[in-house]
């Protein structure tokens, strides 16, 4: 047996689809397995994963995920993870807990930085400190400051999961998983149920790490263009300290199928007279038999799912939407994330009398399709969409290496072949041949895996207006009962522990301890920005930006329409109009045929909006883009589709538009809790800039209110709604109001350019008059109420109005604030899950905002004390790390399509190469004096009348804040 750096080679294979050499190793001494993926991708990736099936719903896997990143044997800092965030060139740095696995992935394009991250993560997971204070800090603890005070629960994960349990979609997923797998680990919540979490003891906590975090229970992946031998040496330096053990009992067993379908009902929290007070969630779910290593079957089930549900025109999705039984479709169809595949579909916004009808409709539609088959065009579209996605491998901002890593892990974590999921050519070809030889192949899968499968359960969430109050009361009564059982000595022990934990939270690491952490220096940073190639030309009179980048034969096109051609009252219609372009049908094709055409011929044609402040100008950059991507052989068809939707979209379709409005409303409502920090921040900033005001009209709370009114108006006065939509089309689809953006290599550009000119020349060419939007309004503090157990607290103002002058160093300062003072005060000490700070160099607007925050007034006090913190100065070490972190954000890794879009965006907001280089120079040259100067400006914010507080949260918390301030300090608006 040949051993290299402690590893024996088990298998070597070329993954031609990804131009990657895969080598699978086993570490002889520890039993760890390692997958080495070698290719020419500079965005190197690493991950170590452990199989961690939860034994209960205390959230132990989740709390452990947080805790191991809180100091280790080699790096005994309070939070080495945060120190890495401050000063790394990472392209990804995080950790995840799923239903049966905990993963610690990192990525970076800088090799030294990459191995620094790997080193810290390996020590973190294998040699963590995990003291009782880690459980108290990240998990839960009893807190008491004075004997007469009530006991309270505190903890980062505790409050994170309170937020998660405030989201109906989050509750639904957990209840589906628990109901469908009642007899294995999936019945438990690996994230943690706040009602159960306080049952977790430190002995369980410590034992869990000893059991599950042994290397023999790990899977390790390296990916990218670094030295393969260096990978093995790095891993061996940690693994050699362990002896192999048997950890096979961590496997999640196959679940015994249900004997007959079942039904489950659970409550979710709503306001008594809120928007959803009579709305239910209904999800029909299946657990599929295991398909171990049968990649062709898994690919076929995935294509079946796309065929059934992939677009608004897909037959199962269309049947549900057309039924009017609910507001929108839920459930993504087939998923292979668990030990056994699952299939889920249903509706939200369902009235009680329609619950059984939703279930019947799902089963009836599946039977109809199983017996009668699919339209060939629908299957062709699903196959093409799937194949395009696999070949493009466009993972957006998520590193491609991590995408492959998690693909391998879908098998590997269950002791199956890790390489099979990475090889798509064979399975895809097999499925295509099976479909070509048998038109009833996909319908047959419906019969076998759904209709004849009794492991089916319908999960219903019913609205409960008293649930949140009952939960809060139960928690208070439980804590009161605990306190009543404690004597004075025990209460004083809790007070002492509270004080000790706070002292530990507030005590900084010594410079000597921080110096132990590996780091980059300023010398490791590029001094110059990397330009993106951009040429400006014209196509039939329309300004056109072209980016000569290698795209592997795919053309990326954006057709932009300037929203300033619209009066302000039409802005809320823009996103619906954009969706109508591709979801409502054209002069020759209904929307089903159009969706199939897009799927058969392209990688997608879809709308997006772009809103941003502009440098040196008061008005916003505001655009609607129709975006498309296609292989060059299909480029003309993509252009033909764009022409047809822009010129012949049939807006006069009341039923389809009503469905779009209800789906849009449901989508915004479902995002309130998961993205509450963004909701509050957008609302706050809308007081200060035209771009944020427009974003509020098109994406925020104001947009939600508009959608609710519009849903009624579509029914009561469709002609006036149609007139508004036609006015939007007339204003936007106009060559004098447009631009084009193309990302493609130069050789293909030569053939594509005349095709683009031909398309644009067919569009209207009329005079255009840009509108002025009267967006400014008096400043007002707001409390936006939703049924949630946590808050999202934002406060901000304009520093330029207070005399601060633009300087690039702010990027480093903001990075420092987010990862030091705000993190420590709001997350570590306050117990919120997260905190952010944003500053616009173009407008001078500064805003702080928190995420899943148990506090409100305490958080605002922290914001108001930022100036004092900054005016104390910054150490040389923190200064350096803050600069590196800021440069990391500027130099983020991008795929070709993102580079082309970014280059265009910069031009639209007047961000020239010269300006960005000046900002980079000022970041690299940032000094401690810059931090103090910024602090002096921030000190004026609490005194200024031109500051705004916006809180999205519970009505009770907002009411208490107003009582504390003796008046209507927060103007209350009920959102849900």
């Amino acid at each position: 047996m040949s051993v290299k750096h402690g590893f024996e080679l088990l298998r070597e294979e070329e993954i031609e689809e990804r131009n990657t050499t895969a080598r699978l190793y086993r570490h002889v001494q520890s039993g760890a397995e390692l997958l080495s993926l070698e290719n020419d991708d500079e965005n190197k990736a690493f991950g170590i994963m452990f199989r961690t099936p939860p034994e209960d719903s205390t959230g132990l896997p989740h709390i452990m995920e947080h805790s191991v990143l809180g100091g280790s044997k080699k790096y005994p800092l309070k939070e080495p993870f945060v120190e890495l965030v401050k000063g790394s060139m990472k392209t990804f740095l995080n950790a995840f807990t799923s239903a049966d696995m905990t993963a610690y992935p990192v990525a970076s394009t800088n090799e030294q930085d990459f191995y620094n991250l790997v080193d810290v993560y390996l020590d973190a997971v294998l040699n963590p400190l995990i003291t009782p204070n880690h459980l108290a800090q990240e998990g839960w603890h009893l807190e008491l400051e004075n004997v007469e005070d009530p006991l309270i629960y505190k903890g980062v994960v505790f409050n994170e999961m309170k937020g998660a349990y405030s989201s109906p979609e989050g509750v639904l997923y957990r209840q589906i998983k628990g109901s469908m797998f009642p007899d294995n680990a999936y019945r438990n919540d690996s994230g943690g149920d706040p009602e159960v979490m306080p049952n977790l003891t430190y002995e369980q906590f410590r034992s869990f790490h000893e059991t599950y975090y042994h290397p023999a229970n790990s899977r390790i992946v390296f990916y990218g263009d670094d030295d393969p031998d260096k990978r093995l040496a790095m891993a061996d330096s940690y693994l050699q300290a362990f002896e192999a053990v048997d950890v096979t009992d961590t496997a999640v067993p196959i679940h015994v199928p249900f004997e007959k379908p079942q039904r489950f009902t659970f409550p979710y929290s709503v306001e008594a007279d809120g928007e959803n007070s009579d709305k239910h969630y209904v999800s029909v779910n299946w657990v599929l038999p295991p398909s171990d290593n049968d990649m062709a079957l898994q690919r076929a089930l995935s294509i079946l799912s796309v065929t059934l549900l992939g677009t608004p025109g897909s037959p199962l999705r269309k049947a549900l939407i057309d039924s009017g039984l609910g507001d929108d479709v839920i459930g993504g169809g087939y998923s292979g994330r668990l030990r056994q595949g699952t299939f889920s579909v249903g509706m939200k916004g369902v009235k009680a009398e329609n619950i059984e009808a939703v279930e019947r409709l799902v089963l009836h539609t599946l039977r109809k399709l199983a017996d009668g088959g699919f339209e060939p065009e629908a299957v062709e579209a699903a196959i093409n969409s799937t194949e395009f996605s696999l070949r493009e491998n466009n993972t957006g901002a998520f590193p491609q290496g991590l995408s492959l890593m998690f693909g391998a892990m879908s098998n590997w974590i269950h002791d199956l072949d890790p390489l099979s999921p990475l090889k798509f050519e064979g399975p895809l070809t097999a499925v295509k041949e099976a479909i070509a030889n048998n038109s009833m192949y996909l319908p047959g899968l419906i019969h076998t895996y759904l209709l004849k499968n009794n492991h089916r359960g319908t999960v219903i969430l019913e609205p409960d207006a008293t649930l949140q109050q009952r939960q809060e009361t139960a928690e208070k009564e439980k804590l009161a009962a605990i306190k009543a059982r404690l004597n004075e000595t025990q209460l004083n022990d809790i007070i002492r522990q509270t004080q000790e934990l706070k002292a530990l939270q507030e005590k900084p690491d010594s410079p000597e301890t921080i110096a132990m952490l590996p780091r980059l220096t300023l010398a490791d940073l590029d001094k110059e920005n990397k330009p993106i190639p951009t040429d400006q030309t014209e196509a039939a009179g329309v300004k056109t930006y072209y980016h000569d980048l290698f795209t592997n034969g795919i053309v990326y096109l954006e057709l932009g329409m300037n929203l300033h051609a619209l009066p302000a009252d039409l802005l809320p219609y823009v996103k619906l109009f954009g969706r109508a372009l591709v979801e409502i049908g054209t002069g020759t094709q209904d929307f089903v045929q159009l969706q199939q055409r897009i799927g058969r011929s392209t990688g997608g044609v879809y709308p997006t909006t772009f809103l941003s402040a502009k440098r040196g100008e008061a008005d916003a950059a505001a655009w609607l883009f129709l975006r498309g991507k296609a292989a060059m052989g299909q480029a003309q068809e993509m252009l033909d589709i764009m022409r047809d939707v822009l010129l012949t979209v049939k807006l006069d379709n009341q039923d389809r538009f009503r469905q779009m409005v209800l789906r849009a409303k449901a989508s915004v409502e479902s995002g309130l809790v998961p993205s509450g920090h963004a909701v509050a921040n957008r609302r706050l900033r809308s007081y200060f800039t035209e771009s944020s005001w427009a974003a509020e009209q098109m994406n925020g709370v104001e947009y939600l209110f508009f959608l609710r009114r519009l849903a009624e108006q579509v029914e009561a006065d469709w002609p006036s709604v149609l007139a508004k939509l036609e006015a939007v089309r007339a204003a936007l689809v106009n060559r004098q109001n447009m631009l084009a953006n193309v990302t493609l290599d130069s050789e293909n550009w030569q053939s594509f350019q005349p095709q683009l000119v031909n398309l644009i020349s067919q569009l209207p060419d009329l005079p255009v008059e840009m509108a002025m939007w009267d967006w400014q309004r008096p400043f007002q503090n707001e409390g936006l109420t939703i049924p949630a157990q946590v808050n999202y607290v934002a406060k901000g103002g304009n520093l330029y109005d207070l005399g601060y002058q633009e300087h690039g160093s702010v990027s480093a300062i903001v990075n420092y604030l987010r990862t030091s003072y705000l993190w420590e005060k709001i997350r570590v000490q306050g117990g919120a899950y997260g905190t952010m700070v944003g500053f616009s160099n173009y407008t001078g607007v500064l805003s702080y905002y928190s995420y899943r925050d148990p506090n409100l007034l305490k958080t605002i006090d922290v914001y108001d004390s930022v100036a004092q913190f900054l005016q104390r100065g910054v150490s040389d070490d923190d200064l350096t790390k803050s600069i590196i972190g800021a440069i990391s954000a500027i130099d983020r890794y991008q795929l070709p399509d993102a580079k082309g879009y970014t280059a265009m965006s910069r031009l639209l907001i007047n961000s020239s190469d010269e300006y960005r280089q000046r900002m980079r120079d000022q970041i690299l040259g940032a000094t401690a004096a810059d931090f103090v100067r910024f602090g002096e400006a921030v000190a004026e914010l609490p005194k200024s009348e031109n500051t705004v507080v916006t809180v999205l949260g519970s009505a009770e918390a907002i009411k208490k804040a107003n009582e504390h301030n003796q008046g209507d300090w927060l103007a209350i608006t009920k959102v849900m």
Side-chain angles (χ1 to χ4, degrees):
M1 177 181 68
S2 175
V3 177
K4 179 186 292 186
H5 298 298
F7 286 91
E8 60 175 328
L9 180 64
L10 303 178
R11 183 176 169 193
E12 180 175 341
E13 194 166 335
E14 293 296 320
I15 311 295
E16 295 181 1
E17 294 94 326
R18 301 302 179 211
N19 194 28
T20 292
T21 299
R23 294 188 173 94
L24 182 63
Y25 295 92
R26 179 182 180 274
H27 191 256
V28 177
Q29 182 168 319
S30 70
E33 292 187 350
L34 184 149
L35 178 60
S36 182
L37 301 173
E38 304 157 21
N39 50 47
D40 61 359
D41 191 345
E42 66 169 338
N43 197 13
K44 292 162 276 289
F46 159 86
I48 180 167
M49 294 77 169
F50 299 91
R51 194 158 59 191
T52 53
E55 300 171 356
D56 52 38
S57 291
T58 59
L60 183 43
H62 188 188
I63 297 169
M64 186 62 67
E65 173 221 311
H66 282 237
S67 298
V68 300
L69 298 175
S72 62
K73 181 178 179 181
K74 187 175 179 181
Y75 304 112
L77 291 77
K78 284 201 306 181
E79 293 189 286
F81 171 78
V82 180
E83 295 299 324
L84 291 174
V85 171
K86 286 181 184 178
S88 168
M89 292 295 291
K90 82 286 181 187
T91 55
F92 192 90
L93 179 68
N94 214 327
F96 301 108
T97 300
S98 62
D100 49 25
M101 175 182 75
T102 307
Y104 299 88
V106 301
S108 179
T109 57
N110 181 297
E111 184 168 322
Q112 181 61 55
D113 184 51
F114 175 66
Y115 277 98
N116 288 348
L117 298 174
V118 173
D119 183 36
V120 174
Y121 261 44
L122 281 171
D123 199 57
V125 298
L126 296 176
N127 305 307
L129 300 180
I130 51 172
T131 67
N133 284 324
H134 286 92
L135 173 58
Q137 165 65 36
E138 298 300 327
W140 76 276
H141 66 274
L142 289 171
E143 185 161 299
L144 188 66
E145 295 187 351
N146 302 289
V147 172
E148 63 273 15
D149 293 342
L151 276 176
I152 61 171
Y153 288 126
K154 289 285 286 288
V156 171
V157 173
F158 181 78
N159 285 310
E160 176 189 354
M161 296 311 295
K162 275 198 167 185
Y165 274 71
S166 296
S167 166
E169 279 78 3
V171 171
L172 180 64
Y173 170 75
R174 288 170 174 81
Q175 299 294 9
I176 289 172
K177 184 169 63 64
S179 300
M180 300 303 293
F181 295 95
D183 299 323
N184 68 20
Y186 293 145
R187 70 181 180 275
N188 300 315
D189 187 353
S190 61
D193 182 341
E195 293 185 14
V196 181
M197 203 174 293
N199 297 334
L200 176 62
T201 68
Y202 179 67
E203 289 71 26
Q204 291 173 290
F205 182 64
R206 187 87 209 182
S207 174
F208 185 87
H209 185 272
E210 293 170 356
T211 301
Y212 293 104
Y213 276 65
H214 190 282
N217 190 43
S218 72
R219 281 84 171 153
I220 302 169
V221 180
F222 281 88
Y223 165 98
D225 64 358
D226 54 306
D227 181 356
D229 283 353
K230 189 174 180 179
R231 300 172 173 180
L232 302 182
M234 168 64 83
D236 178 60
S237 69
Y238 280 98
L239 299 176
Q240 61 185 256
F242 296 85
E243 296 290 339
V245 296
D246 184 7
V247 290
T248 54
D249 61 346
T250 65
V252 177
I254 299 298
H255 202 286
V256 177
F258 292 168
E259 292 184 3
K260 60 181 180 180
Q262 300 186 32
R263 177 176 290 192
F264 312 90
T265 302
F266 304 94
Y268 81 100
S269 184
V270 297
E271 294 284 352
D273 55 349
E275 182 71 19
N276 291 331
S277 59
D278 63 343
K279 301 292 184 68
H280 297 68
Y281 287 71
V282 182
S283 180
V284 186
N285 316 281
W286 287 263
V287 172
L288 311 186
S291 54
D292 298 355
N293 287 322
D294 190 341
M295 293 298 106
L297 174 58
Q298 292 181 32
R299 183 61 61 199
L301 290 169
S302 178
I303 290 174
L304 171 65
S305 183
V306 173
T307 308
L308 287 168
L309 293 164
T311 72
S314 298
L316 181 52
R317 181 176 293 274
K318 183 176 184 295
L320 288 167
I321 293 173
D322 287 352
S323 72
L325 294 171
D327 291 343
D328 199 6
V329 176
I330 56 174
Y334 173 72
S335 171
R337 291 191 298 175
L338 302 179
R339 177 64 182 88
Q340 293 168 258
T342 60
F343 189 97
S344 297
V345 64
M347 298 197 81
K348 60 182 173 181
V350 179
K351 293 190 174 181
E353 61 267 25
N354 293 328
I355 290 173
E356 292 188 6
V358 170
E359 183 182 43
R360 286 197 303 269
L361 179 59
V362 168
L363 297 175
H364 170 76
T365 306
L366 289 173
R367 290 190 193 99
K368 181 179 177 182
L369 292 168
D371 293 339
F374 295 102
E375 294 180 358
E377 295 83 0
V379 177
E380 183 184 350
I383 293 173
N384 180 72
S385 296
T386 300
E387 185 167 4
F388 188 98
S389 177
L390 289 168
R391 297 194 187 288
E392 183 191 25
N393 193 29
N394 191 329
T395 57
F398 193 69
Q400 291 181 330
L402 296 184
S403 176
L404 292 184
M405 183 184 304
F406 284 108
M409 209 57 55
S410 64
N411 255 19
W412 200 11
I413 203 68
H414 303 300
D415 300 320
L416 303 172
D417 178 15
L419 300 188
S420 293
L422 308 185
K423 298 179 290 184
F424 64 81
E425 288 287 5
L428 181 62
T429 298
V431 175
K432 289 165 68 174
E433 289 177 350
I435 292 172
N437 294 330
N438 178 10
S439 64
M440 295 302 288
Y441 173 71
L442 290 182
L445 296 181
I446 300 177
H447 273 297
T448 301
Y449 290 96
L450 300 180
L451 297 177
K452 295 180 180 179
N453 180 2
N454 280 335
H455 199 146
R456 186 181 90 225
T458 298
V459 176
I460 300 159
L461 291 191
E462 58 182 13
D464 187 335
T466 66
L467 176 62
Q468 182 174 327
Q469 184 60 51
R470 295 200 313 272
Q471 290 172 332
E472 292 174 355
T473 300
E475 182 178 303
K476 290 176 182 177
E477 290 176 349
K478 179 181 178 180
L479 288 164
I482 292 173
K483 187 178 181 184
R485 293 194 300 267
L486 301 176
N487 58 37
E488 186 175 350
T489 300
Q490 292 170 320
L491 290 172
N492 284 325
D493 283 342
I494 294 177
I495 292 173
R496 176 182 52 78
Q497 292 165 4
T498 298
Q499 293 170 342
E500 289 176 353
L501 182 58
K502 288 191 174 183
L504 185 66
Q505 292 168 341
E506 294 173 0
K507 182 182 178 182
D509 289 315
S510 68
E512 294 77 18
T513 303
I514 293 175
M516 295 178 178
L517 205 65
R519 71 196 58 213
L520 298 176
T521 68
L522 296 184
D524 296 313
L525 306 181
D526 291 332
K527 302 298 183 288
E528 305 290 328
N529 287 324
K530 296 178 181 178
I532 299 172
T534 302
D535 290 330
Q536 181 175 320
T537 180
E538 281 193 352
V542 169
K543 184 184 295 183
T544 301
Y545 301 121
Y546 163 63
H547 314 284
D548 181 6
L549 295 168
F550 177 72
T551 60
N552 201 27
I554 296 173
V555 55
Y556 298 95
L557 170 65
E558 287 87 29
L559 290 178
M561 293 160 271
N562 193 335
L563 298 183
H564 274 286
L566 297 174
D569 67 300
L570 291 183
L571 284 179
Y573 290 89
V574 167
K575 291 186 71 174
L576 291 165
F577 170 74
R579 290 179 60 177
L581 290 176
V582 294
E583 292 185 19
I584 210 167
T586 66
T588 58
Q589 295 176 307
D590 64 27
F591 85 96
V592 175
Q593 295 169 322
L594 176 61
Q595 293 278 314
Q596 291 173 353
R597 180 184 175 193
I598 291 171
R600 293 198 315 270
S601 306
T602 76
V605 175
Y606 54 97
T608 61
T609 54
F610 174 78
L611 296 165
S612 173
K614 291 195 286 189
R615 175 175 163 257
E617 296 183 37
D619 65 320
W623 294 80
L624 171 66
F625 286 104
L626 183 62
R627 306 179 70 177
K629 54 185 176 180
M632 273 302 294
Q634 299 281 347
Q636 184 58 59
E637 176 62 6
M638 178 187 73
L639 292 172
D640 290 345
I641 291 170
M642 287 183 158
R643 177 200 59 214
D644 289 350
V645 301
L646 288 171
L647 293 178
T648 72
V649 59
K650 298 288 284 186
L651 295 173
D652 191 3
N653 189 330
Q654 183 178 7
D655 288 340
R656 277 295 297 153
F657 191 75
R658 180 197 304 109
Q659 294 166 2
M660 289 168 54
V661 172
L662 292 176
R663 288 164 52 207
K665 179 177 72 72
S667 176
V668 177
E669 288 173 345
S670 66
L672 288 172
V673 173
S675 301
H677 60 308
V679 173
N681 186 50
R682 183 191 301 116
R683 182 78 168 185
L684 179 149
R685 297 180 80 96
S686 71
Y687 284 96
F688 295 95
T689 68
E690 184 181 77
S691 57
S692 294
W693 169 83
E696 175 67 13
Q697 309 306 306
M698 296 167 59
N699 298 293
V701 172
E702 209 59 47
Y703 182 53
L704 175 58
F705 295 159
F706 164 79
L707 290 170
R708 289 172 180 168
R709 295 191 301 269
L710 184 62
E712 297 178 357
Q713 190 178 5
V714 168
E715 299 287 351
D717 187 8
W718 169 244
S720 69
V721 174
L722 177 60
K724 295 286 182 67
L725 291 172
E726 292 289 5
V728 171
R729 169 163 55 181
L732 294 185
V733 184
N734 181 356
R735 271 191 270 172
Q736 295 196 25
N737 186 50
M738 299 180 72
L739 64 80
N741 190 62
V742 181
T743 306
L744 186 65
D745 65 88
S746 57
E747 182 176 349
N748 282 313
W749 171 237
Q750 297 305 313
S751 58
F752 181 73
Q753 186 177 21
Q755 295 174 315
L756 177 63
V757 170
N758 182 53
L759 162 65
I760 294 176
S761 65
Q762 299 178 59
L763 301 179
D765 186 14
L766 302 168
V768 63
E769 182 177 346
M770 296 300 177
M772 297 291 292
W773 299 334
D774 183 15
W775 62 271
Q776 292 179 311
R777 62 198 193 281
F779 294 122
Q780 177 177 255
N781 296 333
E782 291 187 280
L784 309 171
T785 66
I786 56 174
Q789 300 180 65
V790 289
N791 305 303
Y792 306 87
V793 184
K795 183 172 184 176
N798 192 314
L799 294 189
Y800 291 169
D801 289 346
L802 301 175
Y804 184 73
Q805 299 294 313
E806 179 189 64
H807 197 271
S809 62
V810 176
S811 296
I813 297 167
V814 165
N815 182 52
Y816 177 56
L817 277 177
R818 179 176 56 85
T819 57
S820 58
Y821 187 70
L822 293 175
W823 178 277
E824 292 163 6
K825 292 295 184 182
I826 293 177
R827 178 180 165 114
V828 176
Q829 297 172 32
Y833 182 56
T835 176
M836 283 68 65
V837 56
F839 181 81
S840 169
N841 275 330
Y842 303 148
T843 66
V845 176
L846 173 75
S847 61
Y848 313 103
Y849 46 113
S850 63
Y851 185 66
R852 291 181 178 171
D853 192 344
N855 304 306
L856 198 164
L857 295 176
K858 287 182 180 179
T859 295
I860 291 172
D861 288 342
V862 172
Y863 297 158
D864 289 344
S865 62
V866 162
Q868 294 173 323
F869 169 72
L870 288 174
Q871 288 173 307
R872 293 203 301 261
V874 60
S875 70
D876 290 343
D877 182 61
D878 279 332
L879 175 61
T880 297
K881 285 186 289 193
S882 299
I883 292 171
I884 293 171
I887 294 296
S888 172
I890 293 174
D891 291 350
R892 66 188 185 279
Y893 183 80
Q894 291 185 306
L895 297 174
D897 64 316
K899 287 183 178 179
Y901 190 81
T902 295
M904 172 197 68
S905 302
R906 289 170 176 170
L907 292 166
L908 296 180
I909 61 177
N910 304 327
S911 181
S912 65
D913 290 343
E914 295 76 18
Y915 169 77
R916 291 195 311 281
Q917 186 59 49
R918 185 167 73 252
M919 291 297 102
R920 187 186 192 94
D921 293 342
Q922 290 176 357
I923 294 171
L924 291 169
T927 67
D930 292 322
F931 283 59
V932 173
R933 183 170 65 91
F934 188 77
E936 291 170 350
V938 171
E940 299 301 314
L941 274 180
K943 311 170 194 174
S944 172
E945 294 182 355
N946 295 341
T947 60
V948 174
V949 172
T950 304
V951 179
L952 180 73
S954 74
E956 183 66 20
I958 292 169
K959 178 183 175 183
K960 287 182 178 179
N962 276 344
E963 290 173 354
H964 182 272
N965 285 279
Q966 299 179 345
D968 297 329
W969 175 62
L970 295 172
I972 296 177
T973 301
K974 188 172 185 177
V975 178
M976 287 287 288

